[in-house]
Amino acid sequence: VVDPSQLGDILARIHRDLAPLTAKGKPATYIPELAKVDPSRFGIAVALIDGTVHTVGDAAEPFSIQSISKIFGLTLALGRVGEGLWARVGREPSGSRFNSIVQLEQEHGRPRNPFINAGAIVVTDVIAEGHEPRETLGELVTFVRFLSGAADIVIDSAVAASEKSTGHANFALAHFLKAHGNLTGAPERVLGVYFHQCALAMSCAQLARAGLFLASAGRNPVTRYTIVSPLRARRINALMMSCGLYDASGDFAFRVGLPAKSGVGGGILAIVPGVGTIAVWSPGLDATGSSLVGTLALEQLAAAMNWSVFSG
Amino acid sequence: VVDPSQLGDILARIHRDLAPLTAKGKPATYIPELAKVDPSRFGIAVALIDGTVHTVGDAAEPFSIQSISKIFGLTLALGRVGEGLWARVGREPSGSRFNSIVQLEQEHGRPRNPFINAGAIVVTDVIAEGHEPRETLGELVTFVRFLSGAADIVIDSAVAASEKSTGHANFALAHFLKAHGNLTGAPERVLGVYFHQCALAMSCAQLARAGLFLASAGRNPVTRYTIVSPLRARRINALMMSCGLYDASGDFAFRVGLPAKSGVGGGILAIVPGVGTIAVWSPGLDATGSSLVGTLALEQLAAAMNWSVFSG
Amino acid sequence: VVDPSQLGDILARIHRDLAPLTAKGKPATYIPELAKVDPSRFGIAVALIDGTVHTVGDAAEPFSIQSISKIFGLTLALGRVGEGLWARVGREPSGSRFNSIVQLEQEHGRPRNPFINAGAIVVTDVIAEGHEPRETLGELVTFVRFLSGAADIVIDSAVAASEKSTGHANFALAHFLKAHGNLTGAPERVLGVYFHQCALAMSCAQLARAGLFLASAGRNPVTRYTIVSPLRARRINALMMSCGLYDASGDFAFRVGLPAKSGVGGGILAIVPGVGTIAVWSPGLDATGSSLVGTLALEQLAAAMNWSVFSG
Amino acid sequence: VVDPSQLGDILARIHRDLAPLTAKGKPATYIPELAKVDPSRFGIAVALIDGTVHTVGDAAEPFSIQSISKIFGLTLALGRVGEGLWARVGREPSGSRFNSIVQLEQEHGRPRNPFINAGAIVVTDVIAEGHEPRETLGELVTFVRFLSGAADIVIDSAVAASEKSTGHANFALAHFLKAHGNLTGAPERVLGVYFHQCALAMSCAQLARAGLFLASAGRNPVTRYTIVSPLRARRINALMMSCGLYDASGDFAFRVGLPAKSGVGGGILAIVPGVGTIAVWSPGLDATGSSLVGTLALEQLAAAMNWSVFSG
């Protein structure tokens, strides 16, 4: 493993080299509010388990974390129902697009994993059950603030509204889950929570800090609070490795070698077990729906620091 | 990480606890020769990068490594054509059975990854091209002998013949690949090599040693020979993590957290990057076609030694 | 072709022979209101193009025609947009269940044909566009009254409400169509019309009369009104033959040999081109979702009268 | 129905109008021998049940009937094993390409119908069982000679050889069937018969005569020999209607309205129950693999003569 003192230089070099490529990706357009974001924004934050945070570029600017929020939703749901969650959601990569409904029909309404949309909707159903939507969202915001130590994290309600107005594919998934008996709440109610969860706005620095418990056996190394057991942290990392980038997860493991979760807002959060976390943001997406420059930045950073979990 | 001096005790305990469960798995019956193996056989070997090998049970008895051989075939093929291999084979988990032909049609003859049967047949085609079958098989045997330091490793020709006589699903795959222009050799010729490759007979101890280069940045830590570059070792590990247990890879990552490759003969080879390798053998399979007791043994050993790549 | 004077005797015999089998089918239970219907009800009506109607059993009792209404919706939609309809809906059998969403994803939101649920929802969208739901339903009721000469046909609003409360699979389809840009109206609005259309209550005698224009080159042979052109009548019959019984259409063509459309309420309307129509009703369904006894009755009647379109 | 005396004029007009379009289709290229055929050839033959045959264009020139031969194979197989055949082959349209293997896997080796390649290979297996290939082929040639009254019909062995050398997709299907226990003979042996059956060379006039029994309740109206029962003739027609043009069967029913079977050599045989048969030949194919001009000719002829089975 490379000496962390070189991290600053390496981050600066990667940012300088890749910034010109931000124009090559295509920002998501299906959520109108996301399409307004400046595609040249590009930030990286690395949080190490010693508590230090190293940043470059637009690492302090909040962006829509979208599907990265599924990590936090999953953590809360596991806290609520434990391993019983797996009766309703699988743990296998889907081999399909994030919003595919094909497998859901073939597998009778049990989503392949908690990171494809259908699975994340079931996870949201779990944390929303028995609560008013605003209570659930309050709990979620409190949780990410607690994890990241940032009291100003909020949900961008314009993004949530934008998503709701065009979210017919997700409505289809929710009704399909309901038809198969795998949704407790009413579809529009569960999706209301889901769309707001996805609209969480966080900066790279905040995200990197929020994910640190996964790099540190379930305990926030800064606050010393235990978030989850070491076993659960390990398992969440495993799910991110297998399924975090949808049908590009295998390729990402091959190229980067770290557990990670991407969002259609252009963010990616990656975990380096025992070392720290990396959060990147660049709105332009590649053909698989993950940040084009963000993926390249993670690939270069992991290689430069020799941070792959697969290294000997 | 747990002190390696405890390894012997831990192995003994796991073997004692799990031996009664060997009756629960079902040995493969579709290859008649494999169905003859005593289902109560059970061995474990751990090879550490310090060169020591720790064993328990039937760890010295050769068994049919079957699909575990795909690791060695892949290593040779990458040595021959480099990253160009990926033009013909993908790097994504398939989400389907090991011998599924559905995706192959939908994706126009490009197998999802090199570990499902279709992908491994393409890999075999690469190493067989321009050579007589016996030359290719000679190269393969020489390679695994070199990796494991065991001069007596041979191909069990009764198993190879048994497989050929019932291998219609693989013939279907090979002809399908040929129909899509993704097979250079004649199907029966490539499959001849493939069936013999799968019929390699190795013991747990030999397998564990043979895989050590993947735990050690591509270099055999005992002989000091470099087998592949650190980058390639990392990538092969990543592929094993994503795709090594077919449509149970996600679950295996969740439970065990190590790159691994299973074979229908009941063996599994797992890699602990930077630490060593584990080879287990128990012929009874679970519903997904991997060793039932072998998987449990790996799960317990990885947990006891805290060997998951996802640990902080 | 058999002498029509024998029709009465043949109908009586078939009814007598099959009545004991009504207990073998299973009434639909997913629409609660339909589950209340007495499963022993069984009626047959034959309308000949000479204007005579021959009945046996419960042929005068209204039942929920459900998907049989798709014939009338399709006729109205073709009247409104003509052959342009086929830009939005295909004309091929789907080979899948009536409510499958798999093909809809694979074929980017264009339903395979107008008789599977997804296709019928698009057809409803066509006739509903630019109108208030009650106007569209008024037009539909007026149309079937006009076709059948029965002024008392109504929509059973209890059935419509029952369907709405459990129709999550249809909501999934409608939102999916919307997500793919193949639905003009709001999903809940189009489905409101769709559920009410399916809740039309008609008797066998009324249904048989209403379908007569399809047996008579597009013209009602009783009233002499032209409903559609001969070409269009022929084509609607072709679609019923290919797709009218979902994934059992091929088997129905094989056994009965007549264009037909079934409904989950247990009704089936079959067309004998140049001769007349047959409407049967028996609530118990077979595994494919069509009336079990109704299918047998049609098979026996078509054989006895030599009414297959495939006879020489 | 239009007066048959006009048939000659109508045929001449259709041939004249459509001949310029023969350049628009694309002859099959995957069987090298077929690619050599002059794409401007175009013939039509109509055989009426009164024994007259009306022709235009290249109606006397033999061409490779390819999949049209599946009608004759099916008739022989039903004669041998009766309705028991349906235990091994379904009766539903597949909704997929003629050589798709996807459904075969999903449905565990039971082909959807006897006209897709997989189904026809099972049918060939039935007629080949217990015989030497040359005996089976001898029986087949004798049968089509008997049906058409043409003693000079032969198998084009250059075409059969050409097909064998490139028939990997069919080898894949046959091995897949074998793997699922739905093939009695060895794949290469059954395919040997299958490729030769497909290589039958017949003219439009011969084909039209050979199919007459299907238009005439199972009895050859010229020779008065009964080939099959009226019920079986009706059922074979139903299968042709549902499945004869693969995944374009619904569209063909919609446009033409007659039971028909196409071949990749550019021929199509259509049945007009009670009236006669039509054989067309034009080598250029449309996107679905059926003769482009042949389909248009059938559509125009059926419309001009009002020959749809769906007409009132």
Side-chain angles (χ1 to χ4, degrees):
Chain A
V1 172
V2 175
D3 181 350
S5 70
Q6 304 176 20
L7 190 51
D9 288 349
I10 290 172
L11 285 176
R13 178 178 52 74
I14 290 173
H15 193 274
R16 190 184 58 234
D17 289 355
L18 294 179
L21 301 184
T22 52
K24 295 217 167 178
K26 294 191 181 170
T29 54
Y30 71 94
I31 302 174
E33 203 68 19
L34 290 187
K36 299 180 185 171
V37 177
D38 174 2
S40 70
R41 311 311 294 264
F42 177 23
I44 312 178
V46 174
L48 299 180
I49 58 175
D50 65 7
T52 60
V53 177
H54 310 255
T55 65
V56 66
D58 302 315
E61 174 159 336
F63 61 91
S64 191
I65 69 168
Q66 293 293 317
S67 291
I68 304 174
S69 69
K70 294 171 182 173
I71 300 172
F72 308 119
L74 174 63
T75 304
L76 287 178
L78 286 169
R80 187 160 299 175
V81 297
E83 303 298 310
L85 179 67
W86 309 116
R88 293 179 60 187
V89 187
R91 300 187 296 234
E92 289 299 330
S94 73
S96 306
R97 293 280 298 172
F98 63 93
N99 59 0
S100 175
I101 206 163
V102 168
Q103 277 176 336
L104 203 53
E105 175 166 326
Q106 287 164 345
E107 299 177 5
H108 312 294
R110 183 172 178 259
R112 270 286 174 103
N113 65 63
F115 292 147
I116 52 172
N117 288 13
I121 291 169
V122 170
V123 168
T124 299
D125 186 48
V126 166
I127 60 175
E129 193 181 348
H131 299 273
E132 286 302 305
R134 75 181 57 193
E135 290 171 0
T136 307
L137 292 168
E139 180 188 6
L140 194 68
V141 170
T142 301
F143 184 52
V144 295
R145 286 177 177 173
F146 172 67
L147 289 177
S148 61
D152 58 342
I153 294 172
V154 292
I155 288 169
D156 184 332
S157 53
V159 169
S162 178
E163 196 147 14
K164 189 172 178 182
S165 70
T166 59
H168 287 290
N170 286 319
F171 271 97
L173 290 171
H175 280 287
F176 204 81
L177 290 165
K178 188 77 178 175
H180 279 79
N182 199 6
L183 204 75
T184 303
E188 53 277 15
R189 197 175 165 98
V190 177
L191 287 178
V193 176
Y194 178 76
F195 291 141
H196 280 83
Q197 168 191 309
C198 288
L200 271 167
M202 296 174 71
S203 69
C204 287
Q206 290 168 341
L207 254 187
R209 267 197 218 97
L212 263 185
F213 72 100
L214 293 172
S216 187
R219 190 161 82 157
N220 186 319
V222 181
T223 62
R224 317 299 289 169
Y225 280 112
T226 290
I227 313 301
V228 298
S229 70
L231 177 63
R232 182 159 292 165
R234 213 172 88 186
R235 288 175 164 182
I236 294 173
N237 287 339
L239 290 164
M240 292 170 72
M241 178 66 86
S242 299
C243 321
L245 274 85
Y246 314 117
D247 51 339
S249 298
D251 198 59
F252 189 88
F254 182 90
R255 289 167 57 191
V256 181
L258 294 174
K261 183 75 208 77
S262 65
V264 80
I268 307 177
L269 173 62
I271 310 298
V272 194
V275 176
T277 65
I278 314 165
V280 295
W281 174 47
S282 165
L285 308 180
D286 61 21
T288 68
S290 295
S291 175
L292 187 149
V293 160
T295 303
L296 290 172
L298 286 169
E299 187 175 10
Q300 296 189 7
L301 182 57
M305 300 300 291
N306 194 23
W307 273 350
S308 163
V309 301
F310 302 119
S311 298
Chain B
V1 172
V2 175
D3 181 350
S5 71
Q6 304 175 21
L7 188 52
D9 289 348
I10 290 172
L11 286 175
R13 177 177 53 74
I14 290 174
H15 192 274
R16 190 184 58 233
D17 289 354
L18 293 179
L21 300 184
T22 53
K24 294 215 168 181
K26 293 190 182 173
T29 53
Y30 72 92
I31 303 174
E33 203 68 19
L34 290 186
K36 299 178 184 171
V37 178
D38 174 2
S40 70
R41 309 313 294 262
F42 177 24
I44 312 177
V46 174
L48 299 180
I49 57 176
D50 64 8
T52 60
V53 177
H54 309 255
T55 64
V56 66
D58 302 314
E61 175 159 336
F63 62 91
S64 193
I65 68 167
Q66 294 292 320
S67 291
I68 304 174
S69 70
K70 295 171 182 174
I71 300 172
F72 308 118
L74 174 63
T75 303
L76 287 178
L78 286 169
R80 188 160 298 173
V81 298
E83 303 298 310
L85 179 66
W86 309 118
R88 293 179 61 186
V89 187
R91 299 187 297 232
E92 290 299 330
S94 73
S96 305
R97 293 280 298 172
F98 63 94
N99 58 0
S100 175
I101 207 162
V102 169
Q103 277 176 335
L104 203 53
E105 174 167 326
Q106 287 164 346
E107 299 176 5
H108 312 293
R110 183 172 178 258
R112 271 284 173 104
N113 66 63
F115 292 146
I116 51 171
N117 287 13
I121 291 169
V122 169
V123 167
T124 299
D125 187 46
V126 167
I127 61 175
E129 192 180 350
H131 299 274
E132 286 302 305
R134 75 182 57 192
E135 290 171 0
T136 307
L137 291 167
E139 182 189 5
L140 193 67
V141 170
T142 302
F143 184 51
V144 294
R145 286 177 177 173
F146 171 66
L147 288 178
S148 61
D152 57 342
I153 293 172
V154 293
I155 287 169
D156 184 332
S157 53
V159 169
S162 178
E163 197 147 13
K164 190 172 178 182
S165 70
T166 59
H168 288 289
N170 285 319
F171 272 96
L173 291 170
H175 281 286
F176 204 81
L177 291 164
K178 189 77 178 174
H180 279 79
N182 199 5
L183 203 75
T184 303
E188 53 277 15
R189 198 175 163 97
V190 177
L191 286 178
V193 176
Y194 177 76
F195 292 140
H196 280 82
Q197 169 192 308
C198 288
L200 271 168
M202 295 174 72
S203 68
C204 286
Q206 290 168 341
L207 255 186
R209 267 196 218 96
L212 263 184
F213 72 101
L214 293 172
S216 187
R219 189 160 82 157
N220 186 320
V222 181
T223 63
R224 318 298 290 168
Y225 280 111
T226 290
I227 313 301
V228 297
S229 70
L231 177 63
R232 182 159 293 165
R234 212 172 87 185
R235 287 175 164 181
I236 294 174
N237 287 339
L239 289 164
M240 292 169 72
M241 178 67 85
S242 299
C243 321
L245 273 85
Y246 314 116
D247 51 338
S249 297
D251 198 59
F252 189 88
F254 182 90
R255 288 167 57 192
V256 181
L258 294 174
K261 183 77 208 75
S262 64
V264 80
I268 307 177
L269 174 61
I271 309 299
V272 193
V275 176
T277 64
I278 314 166
V280 295
W281 173 49
S282 165
L285 309 181
D286 61 21
T288 68
S290 295
S291 175
L292 187 149
V293 160
T295 303
L296 290 171
L298 286 168
E299 187 176 9
Q300 296 190 6
L301 182 57
M305 301 299 292
N306 195 23
W307 274 350
S308 163
V309 302
F310 301 119
S311 299
Chain C
V1 172
V2 175
D3 180 350
S5 71
Q6 303 175 21
L7 190 51
D9 289 348
I10 290 172
L11 286 175
R13 178 178 53 73
I14 290 173
H15 192 273
R16 190 183 57 233
D17 289 354
L18 295 179
L21 300 184
T22 53
K24 295 216 168 180
K26 293 190 182 173
T29 52
Y30 71 93
I31 301 174
E33 203 66 20
L34 289 187
K36 299 180 185 170
V37 178
D38 173 1
S40 70
R41 309 313 295 263
F42 177 23
I44 312 176
V46 174
L48 299 181
I49 57 175
D50 64 8
T52 59
V53 177
H54 309 255
T55 65
V56 66
D58 302 315
E61 174 159 336
F63 61 91
S64 191
I65 69 167
Q66 293 294 318
S67 291
I68 304 173
S69 69
K70 294 171 182 174
I71 300 172
F72 308 119
L74 174 64
T75 304
L76 287 177
L78 286 169
R80 185 161 299 173
V81 297
E83 303 299 309
L85 179 66
W86 309 117
R88 294 179 61 186
V89 188
R91 298 187 297 234
E92 290 299 330
S94 73
S96 306
R97 293 281 298 173
F98 63 94
N99 59 359
S100 176
I101 207 163
V102 169
Q103 277 177 335
L104 203 53
E105 175 167 325
Q106 287 164 347
E107 299 177 5
H108 312 295
R110 182 171 178 260
R112 271 285 174 102
N113 65 63
F115 292 146
I116 51 172
N117 287 13
I121 292 169
V122 169
V123 167
T124 299
D125 186 47
V126 166
I127 60 175
E129 192 180 350
H131 299 273
E132 286 302 307
R134 76 181 56 193
E135 290 170 0
T136 307
L137 292 169
E139 181 189 4
L140 194 68
V141 170
T142 301
F143 184 52
V144 294
R145 287 177 177 173
F146 171 67
L147 288 178
S148 61
D152 57 343
I153 294 171
V154 292
I155 288 169
D156 183 332
S157 52
V159 169
S162 178
E163 196 147 14
K164 190 172 179 182
S165 70
T166 59
H168 287 290
N170 286 319
F171 272 97
L173 291 170
H175 281 286
F176 204 82
L177 291 164
K178 188 78 180 173
H180 279 79
N182 200 4
L183 203 75
T184 303
E188 53 277 14
R189 197 175 164 99
V190 176
L191 286 179
V193 175
Y194 177 75
F195 291 141
H196 279 82
Q197 169 192 308
C198 288
L200 269 169
M202 295 175 70
S203 68
C204 287
Q206 290 167 341
L207 253 186
R209 266 196 218 96
L212 263 184
F213 73 100
L214 292 171
S216 186
R219 189 161 82 157
N220 186 320
V222 181
T223 63
R224 317 299 291 168
Y225 280 111
T226 290
I227 313 301
V228 297
S229 71
L231 177 63
R232 182 159 292 163
R234 212 173 89 185
R235 288 175 164 183
I236 293 173
N237 287 339
L239 290 164
M240 292 170 72
M241 178 67 85
S242 299
C243 321
L245 273 85
Y246 313 116
D247 51 339
S249 297
D251 197 60
F252 188 88
F254 182 90
R255 289 168 56 192
V256 181
L258 294 174
K261 183 76 209 77
S262 64
V264 80
I268 307 176
L269 173 62
I271 310 298
V272 194
V275 175
T277 64
I278 314 166
V280 295
W281 174 47
S282 165
L285 308 181
D286 61 21
T288 69
S290 294
S291 175
L292 187 151
V293 160
T295 303
L296 290 172
L298 286 168
E299 187 175 10
Q300 295 190 6
L301 182 58
M305 302 299 292
N306 196 23
W307 274 349
S308 164
V309 302
F310 301 119
S311 298
Chain D
V1 173
V2 175
D3 182 348
S5 70
Q6 302 176 21
L7 189 51
D9 288 349
I10 290 173
L11 285 176
R13 177 177 54 74
I14 290 173
H15 192 273
R16 189 183 59 234
D17 289 355
L18 295 178
L21 301 183
T22 53
K24 296 216 167 179
K26 293 190 180 171
T29 53
Y30 71 94
I31 301 174
E33 203 67 19
L34 290 187
K36 299 179 184 171
V37 178
D38 174 2
S40 70
R41 310 312 294 263
F42 177 23
I44 313 177
V46 175
L48 299 180
I49 57 175
D50 65 8
T52 59
V53 177
H54 309 256
T55 65
V56 67
D58 301 315
E61 175 159 336
F63 62 91
S64 192
I65 69 167
Q66 293 293 318
S67 291
I68 304 174
S69 70
K70 294 172 182 173
I71 300 172
F72 308 121
L74 174 64
T75 303
L76 287 178
L78 286 170
R80 186 160 300 174
V81 298
E83 303 298 310
L85 179 65
W86 309 118
R88 294 179 61 187
V89 188
R91 299 187 297 234
E92 290 299 330
S94 73
S96 306
R97 292 282 298 173
F98 63 94
N99 59 0
S100 175
I101 207 164
V102 169
Q103 276 177 335
L104 204 54
E105 176 167 324
Q106 287 164 345
E107 300 177 4
H108 312 294
R110 183 170 177 259
R112 271 286 173 103
N113 66 63
F115 292 147
I116 52 172
N117 287 13
I121 291 168
V122 169
V123 167
T124 299
D125 186 49
V126 167
I127 62 175
E129 192 180 349
H131 298 273
E132 286 302 305
R134 76 180 57 193
E135 290 171 359
T136 307
L137 291 168
E139 181 189 5
L140 194 67
V141 170
T142 301
F143 184 52
V144 294
R145 287 178 177 173
F146 172 66
L147 289 177
S148 62
D152 57 344
I153 294 171
V154 292
I155 288 169
D156 183 332
S157 52
V159 169
S162 179
E163 196 147 15
K164 190 172 178 182
S165 70
T166 59
H168 287 289
N170 286 319
F171 272 97
L173 291 171
H175 281 286
F176 204 81
L177 291 165
K178 189 77 179 175
H180 279 80
N182 199 4
L183 203 75
T184 302
E188 52 278 15
R189 198 175 164 98
V190 177
L191 287 178
V193 176
Y194 177 75
F195 291 141
H196 280 82
Q197 169 192 308
C198 288
L200 271 168
M202 296 174 70
S203 69
C204 287
Q206 290 167 341
L207 254 187
R209 267 197 218 96
L212 263 185
F213 73 101
L214 292 172
S216 186
R219 190 160 82 157
N220 186 319
V222 180
T223 64
R224 318 298 291 167
Y225 281 111
T226 291
I227 312 302
V228 297
S229 70
L231 176 63
R232 182 159 292 165
R234 212 171 89 184
R235 288 175 163 182
I236 294 173
N237 287 338
L239 289 165
M240 292 170 73
M241 177 67 85
S242 300
C243 321
L245 273 85
Y246 313 118
D247 51 338
S249 297
D251 198 59
F252 189 88
F254 183 89
R255 288 167 57 191
V256 181
L258 294 174
K261 183 75 209 75
S262 65
V264 80
I268 308 177
L269 173 61
I271 310 298
V272 193
V275 176
T277 64
I278 314 166
V280 295
W281 174 48
S282 165
L285 308 181
D286 61 21
T288 68
S290 295
S291 175
L292 187 149
V293 160
T295 303
L296 290 172
L298 286 169
E299 186 175 10
Q300 295 189 6
L301 182 57
M305 300 300 291
N306 195 22
W307 274 349
S308 163
V309 303
F310 301 120
S311 298

